Amino acid sequence: MDRTAQLTAPAAKREIAYDPPPVPGSLHFRAVDVLEGNWTGTSTVPSRGLYPHQWSWDSAFTAIGLRHVSPLRAQTELETLLDAQWGDGRIPHIVFNPSVPLDAYFPSPDFWRSSTAGRAAGAPRTVQTSGIVQPPVHALAAWLVHCADPGLSRARGFLTRVYPRLAAWHRYLLHRRDLGGGGLASVVHPWEQGMDNSPCWDAPLSRVAPAPARSFRRADLDHGAAEDRPTDLDYGRYVRLATDYRDGEYRDGAGEFAVEDPSFNALLIASEHALARIAQELGATGTARHARAERLTAALIERLWDPAEGMFFCRDVRSVRPGGEPIPERSVSGLVPLLLPTLPRDIASAVVRTAGSAHFGLGVTTRLVPSYDLLGEAFDPHRYWRGPAWFNTAWLLERGLRTHGEQDRADALRDAALDIADTSDFAEYVDPYTGEACGATGFSWTAALTLDLLHTGPGHGVSPMGIRTFDRNDQGVKGGDRG
């Protein structure tokens, strides 16, 4: 039996971790097929052509979906990523596959020079990585993967091995990246936040002199339409920031770009709650981590919440004003804190209203939430994070809606995400109005989160964080694929 068949075999042939069994040609079956096609043997690439290496938050989202069909593979996905962690605790945003030609992706390993430029920060010597990070979804993913098959997880010592690495990752963000002094983590490059060319970055990036166009070659344009991708000017500034960070040996705090982002910090808080649960599973109390998550939630509200606008805004830490200043751009990032279980009721209600307002149109003019304000001057329905809808943010908001009791809205968003994933061939992102596919198709996190929505929708258990957890005594989920 080939590997795809092993992952999609019906219940009569083996014990499975999902219900109902997949039907060939079904959405479930095709989502699994995408993940199988993007599997390298130790991790999953986001897309074979456009993104041929391992990406940090992509792997976390991929593991969340993989847990439903192969808890072992989901554990391996996270373990492979954590094997590339730096000594200072950072988890790099790319782990490079040495078998991929250097010109297949830019910036390539010879640009980042992690093993030399990152030596003082403890970069690994046996694997090449980038030097920046991505949103900290990893502890949340690890907890959910454990819950998919606790028996397998305990037998392999999965949480015992990943917990200290995840704790070091959070320490890095909370101590090395509190560049604004208010308790929140700052990103030092737009790629770190994950929403690369969001209009939120336009003002802080305007201070950055772009690298000359002739100094780099954009491999991304070989696989995607130029009108769907960041502009050359944006890219020149990305390259300049990354070059300066590298040449400064990846020391934090000296760069021209530092932004406190609501989505990045909300995911850190959700993962801090997850770390508390992992600690409890390992015999500790988890009390200190829950308390830290609550302090971070308070800081998020104090520094980034705008009650008049009903959403969270980024803060430019490098602004000339003491303490920085808000960036007045409405991005989907400002809605993601809805994921947090202890968000005050009035704030959660305001975020829900904003999501359905004319600025985002969720459930009114758009079926999936756009990445940027529909009424904003910079809105573009096809250009990457300047308007298109993405499936990972849809998943986060669907979980957030469930967490705060908005079941009907969550059901509608879930149904829309599943339908558009199906009709777009698991696209990287889509036009928020039409659902037209943009970017790559057969995209891993779209397929993985499709699997998760198929198995954590109406009628399934939902944890206080809005994420399904499995009953440890549920025999229907304990026999996942072990090979």
Side-chain angles (χ1 to χ4, degrees):
M1 181 183 295
D2 64 29
R3 296 182 69 85
T4 301
Q6 289 174 359
L7 282 179
T8 57
K13 294 185 179 180
R14 67 179 179 90
E15 204 172 8
I16 57 175
Y18 45 78
D19 183 28
V23 176
S26 68
L27 185 60
H28 184 292
F29 190 97
R30 290 186 291 112
V32 170
D33 196 47
V34 167
L35 295 178
E36 182 61 21
N38 290 340
W39 176 248
T40 68
T42 55
S43 63
T44 309
V45 299
S47 165
R48 281 288 180 184
L50 187 54
Y51 305 106
H53 302 285
Q54 184 179 24
W55 260 258
S56 173
W57 74 327
D58 291 75
S59 278
F61 286 122
T62 295
I64 288 169
L66 274 175
R67 67 190 172 116
H68 297 291
V69 291
S70 177
L72 176 59
R73 186 176 291 189
Q75 292 177 31
T76 302
E77 184 80 38
L78 295 173
E79 291 165 345
T80 300
L81 179 67
L82 290 170
D83 282 344
Q85 186 173 22
W86 289 28
D88 64 3
R90 81 183 74 193
I91 297 175
H93 99 295
I94 303 175
V95 181
F96 290 106
N97 182 342
S99 68
V100 173
L102 288 178
D103 62 358
Y105 184 81
F106 179 84
S108 52
D110 57 341
F111 171 88
W112 294 103
R113 306 171 198 165
S114 61
S115 59
T116 54
R119 185 179 296 125
R125 297 191 177 186
T126 57
V127 62
Q128 294 296 311
T129 76
S130 65
I132 60 175
V133 303
Q134 275 192 322
V137 198
H138 312 89
L140 176 57
W143 174 246
L144 295 177
V145 167
H146 164 79
C147 291
D149 193 334
L152 174 65
S153 175
R154 293 176 188 135
R156 297 186 69 245
F158 172 65
L159 292 183
T160 301
R161 285 181 289 108
V162 302
Y163 178 80
R165 296 185 179 193
L166 294 169
W169 167 222
H170 285 209
R171 281 196 301 274
Y172 168 78
L173 293 174
L174 292 169
H175 296 290
R176 302 286 187 90
R177 289 300 189 88
D178 183 11
L179 303 181
L184 299 181
S186 291
V187 296
V188 300
H189 194 292
W191 288 339
E192 292 198 315
Q193 194 267 355
M195 303 179 188
D196 302 15
N197 68 330
S198 169
C200 294
W201 319 137
D202 290 355
L205 277 178
S206 67
R207 300 190 295 264
V208 178
R214 64 182 180 278
S215 66
F216 60 92
R217 177 187 173 276
R218 293 181 58 179
D220 63 318
L221 298 182
D222 295 340
H223 303 280
E227 59 269 21
D228 290 353
R229 307 290 300 171
T231 65
D232 286 342
L233 178 59
D234 286 335
Y235 232 84
R237 287 171 168 152
Y238 304 154
V239 172
R240 172 68 68 189
L241 281 175
T243 300
D244 291 348
Y245 195 37
R246 177 200 67 199
D247 293 349
E249 298 183 321
Y250 297 110
R251 287 187 295 269
D252 293 311
E256 297 177 82
F257 184 98
V259 176
E260 294 172 352
D261 173 76
S263 176
F264 191 99
N265 281 281
L267 292 171
L268 175 60
I269 294 166
S271 278
E272 192 67 22
H273 280 300
L275 267 187
R277 294 184 177 193
I278 294 172
Q280 290 171 324
E281 167 68 22
L282 297 177
T285 65
T287 303
R289 293 205 173 275
H290 279 308
R292 184 178 295 116
E294 288 311 299
R295 290 195 299 272
L296 286 167
T297 301
L300 182 76
I301 294 169
E302 179 183 352
R303 292 182 66 80
L304 306 185
W305 173 247
D306 187 326
E309 299 294 343
M311 65 181 298
F312 294 84
F313 287 93
C314 295
R315 177 174 288 271
D316 182 359
V317 173
R318 290 288 181 260
S319 166
V320 295
R321 294 187 182 181
E325 62 181 326
I327 299 172
E329 298 286 0
R330 295 178 179 87
S331 160
V332 67
S333 175
L335 307 179
V336 170
L338 189 64
L339 179 72
L340 301 178
T342 60
L343 202 64
R345 183 180 299 275
D346 60 328
I347 292 179
S349 297
V351 172
V352 171
R353 288 194 299 272
T354 300
S357 73
H359 294 290
F360 294 97
L362 184 61
V364 183
T365 58
T366 62
R367 297 180 67 200
L368 299 185
V369 66
S371 51
Y372 179 64
D373 184 359
L374 298 171
L375 306 180
E377 291 185 8
F379 174 77
D380 183 330
H382 286 183
R383 194 177 288 279
Y384 219 44
W385 289 97
R386 300 179 83 84
W390 290 71
F391 290 88
N392 64 330
T393 53
W395 182 85
L396 292 168
L397 289 175
E398 193 267 357
R399 301 288 83 185
L401 289 166
R402 287 201 193 284
T403 295
H404 293 283
E406 297 285 347
Q407 302 303 330
D408 289 345
R409 287 185 172 92
D411 290 349
L413 180 52
R414 172 185 179 271
D415 291 347
L418 292 175
D419 180 56
I420 294 172
D422 186 8
T423 58
S424 71
D425 192 20
F426 305 102
E428 183 181 3
Y429 50 101
V430 298
D431 183 303
Y433 292 116
T434 67
E436 175 190 351
C438 301
T441 54
F443 201 72
S444 288
W445 79 25
T446 303
L449 297 177
T450 293
L451 286 173
D452 195 66
L453 290 173
L454 283 170
H455 299 292
T456 59
H460 292 276
V462 176
S463 79
M465 261 192 295
I467 309 295
R468 177 192 176 186
T469 56
F470 293 103
D471 185 334
R472 294 178 184 174
N473 297 316
D474 181 356
Q475 298 301 310
V477 300
K478 294 183 71 174
D481 178 8
R482 287 169 167 75

Tab-separated table of all heavy atoms in Angstrom, residues 33 75 94 120 175 188 203-204 226 238 244 253 265 283 305 320 334 336 356-357 376 378 420 430 461 468 474 480:
chain	number	residue	atom	x	y	z
A	33	ASP	N	-4.344	14.155	0.455
A	33	ASP	CA	-3.492	13.980	-0.717
A	33	ASP	C	-2.546	15.172	-0.890
A	33	ASP	O	-1.379	15.009	-1.261
A	33	ASP	CB	-4.369	13.804	-1.960
A	33	ASP	CG	-3.594	13.246	-3.136
A	33	ASP	OD1	-2.854	12.263	-2.953
A	33	ASP	OD2	-3.724	13.803	-4.250
A	75	GLN	N	3.606	14.983	15.182
A	75	GLN	CA	4.687	15.147	16.149
A	75	GLN	C	6.025	15.346	15.444
A	75	GLN	O	6.818	16.226	15.813
A	75	GLN	CB	4.757	13.931	17.076
A	75	GLN	CG	3.576	13.795	18.014
A	75	GLN	CD	3.651	12.543	18.867
A	75	GLN	OE1	4.735	12.071	19.205
A	75	GLN	NE2	2.491	11.990	19.212
A	94	ILE	N	12.539	29.853	8.566
A	94	ILE	CA	12.772	28.859	7.515
A	94	ILE	C	13.864	27.901	7.966
A	94	ILE	O	14.905	28.333	8.486
A	94	ILE	CB	13.215	29.489	6.176
A	94	ILE	CG1	12.211	30.507	5.662
A	94	ILE	CG2	13.428	28.405	5.117
A	94	ILE	CD1	12.672	31.247	4.410
A	120	ALA	N	26.995	33.779	17.440
A	120	ALA	CA	26.883	34.330	18.794
A	120	ALA	C	25.511	34.097	19.399
A	120	ALA	O	25.367	34.047	20.619
A	120	ALA	CB	27.198	35.826	18.772
A	175	HIS	N	11.652	38.290	26.547
A	175	HIS	CA	12.779	39.053	27.092
A	175	HIS	C	13.577	39.777	26.006
A	175	HIS	O	13.817	40.982	26.113
A	175	HIS	CB	13.684	38.132	27.904
A	175	HIS	CG	13.023	37.557	29.118
A	175	HIS	ND1	12.709	38.308	30.220
A	175	HIS	CD2	12.572	36.304	29.378
A	175	HIS	CE1	12.110	37.540	31.118
A	175	HIS	NE2	12.008	36.327	30.638
A	188	VAL	N	10.726	42.364	14.181
A	188	VAL	CA	11.759	43.250	13.654
A	188	VAL	C	11.851	43.180	12.128
A	188	VAL	O	12.751	43.769	11.537
A	188	VAL	CB	13.132	42.948	14.292
A	188	VAL	CG1	13.064	43.137	15.802
A	188	VAL	CG2	13.604	41.530	13.956
A	203	ALA	N	4.059	52.528	6.795
A	203	ALA	CA	4.654	53.692	7.464
A	203	ALA	C	6.004	53.364	8.089
A	203	ALA	O	6.993	54.066	7.831
A	203	ALA	CB	3.686	54.255	8.501
A	204	PRO	N	6.119	52.302	8.901
A	204	PRO	CA	7.450	52.014	9.456
A	204	PRO	C	8.472	51.624	8.394
A	204	PRO	O	9.659	51.940	8.540
A	204	PRO	CB	7.191	50.870	10.447
A	204	PRO	CG	5.836	50.360	10.155
A	204	PRO	CD	5.068	51.455	9.519
A	226	ALA	N	2.928	38.551	-10.728
A	226	ALA	CA	3.478	39.747	-10.077
A	226	ALA	C	2.398	40.563	-9.394
A	226	ALA	O	2.630	41.152	-8.331
A	226	ALA	CB	4.222	40.590	-11.111
A	238	TYR	N	12.501	44.738	2.434
A	238	TYR	CA	12.647	43.492	3.177
A	238	TYR	C	14.113	43.045	3.179
A	238	TYR	O	14.654	42.627	4.204
A	238	TYR	CB	11.803	42.373	2.568
A	238	TYR	CG	10.327	42.625	2.424
A	238	TYR	CD1	9.592	41.954	1.441
A	238	TYR	CD2	9.644	43.498	3.259
A	238	TYR	CE1	8.239	42.146	1.296
A	238	TYR	CE2	8.279	43.704	3.121
A	238	TYR	CZ	7.582	43.028	2.129
A	238	TYR	OH	6.232	43.224	1.972
A	244	ASP	N	20.719	44.023	7.211
A	244	ASP	CA	21.220	44.736	8.387
A	244	ASP	C	21.154	43.861	9.635
A	244	ASP	O	22.067	43.894	10.479
A	244	ASP	CB	20.409	46.019	8.608
A	244	ASP	CG	20.667	47.073	7.532
A	244	ASP	OD1	21.635	46.907	6.745
A	244	ASP	OD2	19.905	48.055	7.472
A	253	GLY	N	17.145	44.698	18.748
A	253	GLY	CA	17.010	46.010	19.343
A	253	GLY	C	17.656	47.147	18.599
A	253	GLY	O	17.401	48.308	18.915
A	265	ASN	N	1.144	38.691	19.122
A	265	ASN	CA	1.065	38.595	20.577
A	265	ASN	C	-0.118	37.772	21.043
A	265	ASN	O	-0.034	37.087	22.072
A	265	ASN	CB	1.057	39.997	21.178
A	265	ASN	CG	2.442	40.610	21.224
A	265	ASN	OD1	3.238	40.298	22.105
A	265	ASN	ND2	2.754	41.459	20.255
A	283	GLY	N	3.120	17.209	35.156
A	283	GLY	CA	3.163	17.119	36.604
A	283	GLY	C	3.370	18.421	37.342
A	283	GLY	O	3.417	18.429	38.583
A	305	TRP	N	-5.351	48.028	22.030
A	305	TRP	CA	-6.808	48.087	21.859
A	305	TRP	C	-7.264	49.519	21.628
A	305	TRP	O	-6.846	50.445	22.325
A	305	TRP	CB	-7.504	47.493	23.064
A	305	TRP	CG	-9.011	47.663	23.058
A	305	TRP	CD1	-9.772	48.410	23.900
A	305	TRP	CD2	-9.933	47.049	22.140
A	305	TRP	NE1	-11.105	48.307	23.575
A	305	TRP	CE2	-11.234	47.479	22.496
A	305	TRP	CE3	-9.775	46.187	21.053
A	305	TRP	CZ2	-12.372	47.074	21.809
A	305	TRP	CZ3	-10.910	45.774	20.366
A	305	TRP	CH2	-12.188	46.215	20.735
A	320	VAL	N	8.842	58.357	16.587
A	320	VAL	CA	9.525	59.403	17.353
A	320	VAL	C	8.820	59.692	18.669
A	320	VAL	O	9.418	60.267	19.582
A	320	VAL	CB	9.641	60.710	16.532
A	320	VAL	CG1	10.533	60.489	15.322
A	320	VAL	CG2	8.264	61.213	16.093
A	334	GLY	N	-5.797	42.655	13.659
A	334	GLY	CA	-6.489	43.307	14.763
A	334	GLY	C	-7.745	42.596	15.225
A	334	GLY	O	-8.358	42.992	16.224
A	336	VAL	N	-7.676	38.962	15.306
A	336	VAL	CA	-7.227	37.652	15.779
A	336	VAL	C	-7.256	37.501	17.300
A	336	VAL	O	-7.490	36.389	17.798
A	336	VAL	CB	-5.823	37.343	15.197
A	336	VAL	CG1	-5.199	36.107	15.858
A	336	VAL	CG2	-5.921	37.123	13.683
A	356	GLY	N	-17.914	42.044	11.153
A	356	GLY	CA	-19.082	42.076	10.281
A	356	GLY	C	-19.386	43.445	9.711
A	356	GLY	O	-20.356	43.602	8.963
A	357	SER	N	-18.563	44.442	10.045
A	357	SER	CA	-18.800	45.805	9.574
A	357	SER	C	-18.386	45.968	8.122
A	357	SER	O	-17.837	45.056	7.497
A	357	SER	CB	-18.010	46.797	10.438
A	357	SER	OG	-16.621	46.719	10.127
A	376	GLY	N	-10.157	50.580	2.834
A	376	GLY	CA	-8.854	51.224	2.919
A	376	GLY	C	-8.298	51.607	1.554
A	376	GLY	O	-8.544	50.928	0.555
A	378	ALA	N	-5.380	51.299	0.476
A	378	ALA	CA	-4.400	50.323	-0.021
A	378	ALA	C	-5.032	48.972	-0.356
A	378	ALA	O	-4.316	48.053	-0.769
A	378	ALA	CB	-3.294	50.134	1.016
A	420	ILE	N	-14.794	27.065	0.045
A	420	ILE	CA	-13.818	27.777	-0.777
A	420	ILE	C	-12.515	26.992	-0.883
A	420	ILE	O	-11.865	27.003	-1.936
A	420	ILE	CB	-13.596	29.200	-0.221
A	420	ILE	CG1	-14.893	30.007	-0.371
A	420	ILE	CG2	-12.457	29.907	-0.935
A	420	ILE	CD1	-14.864	31.363	0.299
A	430	VAL	N	-7.284	33.744	-1.362
A	430	VAL	CA	-8.348	33.908	-2.349
A	430	VAL	C	-8.867	35.339	-2.340
A	430	VAL	O	-8.714	36.075	-1.355
A	430	VAL	CB	-9.524	32.936	-2.085
A	430	VAL	CG1	-9.082	31.487	-2.194
A	430	VAL	CG2	-10.179	33.206	-0.725
A	461	GLY	N	-16.315	18.575	20.492
A	461	GLY	CA	-15.890	19.254	21.706
A	461	GLY	C	-15.003	20.438	21.393
A	461	GLY	O	-14.175	20.376	20.503
A	468	ARG	N	-10.763	22.298	19.608
A	468	ARG	CA	-11.211	20.997	20.061
A	468	ARG	C	-10.087	20.257	20.775
A	468	ARG	O	-8.953	20.234	20.324
A	468	ARG	CB	-11.659	20.165	18.875
A	468	ARG	CG	-12.066	18.738	19.297
A	468	ARG	CD	-12.225	17.820	18.121
A	468	ARG	NE	-12.519	16.471	18.559
A	468	ARG	CZ	-12.594	15.431	17.757
A	468	ARG	NH1	-12.402	15.585	16.486
A	468	ARG	NH2	-12.869	14.236	18.224
A	474	ASP	N	-11.488	8.593	25.047
A	474	ASP	CA	-12.197	8.380	23.787
A	474	ASP	C	-11.412	7.385	22.944
A	474	ASP	O	-10.397	7.710	22.351
A	474	ASP	CB	-12.340	9.716	23.049
A	474	ASP	CG	-13.085	9.577	21.732
A	474	ASP	OD1	-13.416	8.442	21.355
A	474	ASP	OD2	-13.316	10.616	21.085
A	480	GLY	N	-4.397	6.306	16.222
A	480	GLY	CA	-3.928	6.996	15.019
A	480	GLY	C	-2.800	6.280	14.349
A	480	GLY	O	-2.143	5.392	14.901
